[in-house]
Amino acid sequence: MTGPTPTGLTLQDVVLTYPDGDRRLTALDAVSLHSAPGELTAIVGPSGSGKSSLLAVAATLLRPDSGRVLVDGEDVCGLTAKQATALRRERIGIVFQQPNLLASLTALEQLLAVAHLRGTRPRAARGRAEQLLASVGLTDGKQHRRPHQLSGGERQRVNIARALFAEPAVLLVDEPTSALDHERGARITDLLATVTRTHRTATLLVTHDRTLLTHADQILELVDGRLR
Ligand code: ADP
Ligand code: MG
């Protein structure tokens, strides 16, 4: 490649197909995009347009048929499964639609579990986890509650704090507000815009709710696997 190495997240001509009977279904059709550090990129599109597929490719959970995915300029499509797992743990924060929190752990412990996987020393981990939870608004003892003792919005905040624990270069967020009312959804989107700036993540936010996009730096529309 010529020119300076782009930081953040870059997709170049990404094609992804799924088996579909004896044919293949094209879920992503030559998708190219770039999100720089500190930039919130929103992806909008109807159900079935390929939004979750796009995030899965960016997360290295699916390998594209062709095209490239670059994280801070490094091509991540050729990584082994083990290398891809390490990359996700160190460089990519993922927030799914349903907060996949462990039922038996408190908010704080959800973050400490990540710290443990990464080998962060317990004392440093605890301080950092408490700070992150406070930064997403979980204070006054809420950091010691288990998921069923938190509201849907608060669970999504835990999910976001956990995704930020490793200081990822890339933050991928799939319809984080779909289980929330409009007011709470808008506050989660505000929070994502704030953490994108303060943590300098290259953030991709997938949503079908256009009213939540006032903070986006760029809005890309996905239709039938094509960006326009
Ligand atoms: P969105 O998130 O925008 O709703 P998806 O990325 O989930 O869209 O799906 C895009 C298209 O790919 C849809 O037609 C969907 O049915 C299809 N698809 C998604 N996942 C799979 C899969 N694992 N196997 C086969 N087809 C899939
Ligand atoms: Mg989806």
Side-chain angles (χ1 to χ4, degrees), residues 120-147:
T120 312
R121 300 194 27 216
R123 188 174 301 176
R126 194 183 168 93
R128 175 161 172 71
E130 284 181 334
Q131 206 174 33
L132 269 172
L133 287 169
S135 77
V136 299
L138 288 172
T139 52
D140 300 328
K142 286 187 179 169
Q143 63 272 41
H144 301 301
R145 293 196 194 166
R146 296 179 211 292

Side-chain angles (χ1 to χ4, degrees), residues 47-48 50-53 97 174-175 206:
S47 178
K51 302 184 300 297
S52 294
S53 299
Q97 198 162 354
D174 198 354
E175 310 231 19
V206 157

Side-chain angles (χ1 to χ4, degrees), residues 93-95 111 114 128 132 135-136 157-168 170-171 191-192 195-196 198-199 201 203:
I94 304 176
V95 176
L111 275 65
V114 175
R128 175 161 172 71
L132 269 172
S135 77
V136 299
R157 287 167 191 272
V158 177
N159 213 11
I160 291 165
R162 184 176 60 176
L164 291 168
F165 189 87
E167 283 291 332
V170 172
L171 183 62
L191 173 64
L192 286 166
V195 302
T196 296
T198 55
H199 293 265
T201 53
T203 304

Side-chain angles (χ1 to χ4, degrees), residues 11 13 23 38 53 59 69 85-86 90 92 94 97-98 127 141 146 152 155-156 162 173 178 184 191 195 199 216 223:
L11 272 63
D13 288 323
R23 304 178 46 211
S53 299
V69 178
T85 302
E90 301 299 326
I92 302 178
I94 304 176
Q97 198 162 354
Q98 294 298 332
R146 296 179 211 292
R155 284 197 288 272
Q156 210 44 294
R162 184 176 60 176
V173 190
S178 59
R184 288 193 176 80
L191 173 64
V195 302
H199 293 265
V223 178

Side-chain angles (χ1 to χ4, degrees), residues 104-128:
S104 63
L105 300 186
T106 66
L108 183 64
E109 288 164 350
Q110 311 280 345
L111 275 65
L112 296 180
V114 175
H116 180 73
L117 284 176
R118 302 184 69 241
T120 312
R121 300 194 27 216
R123 188 174 301 176
R126 194 183 168 93
R128 175 161 172 71

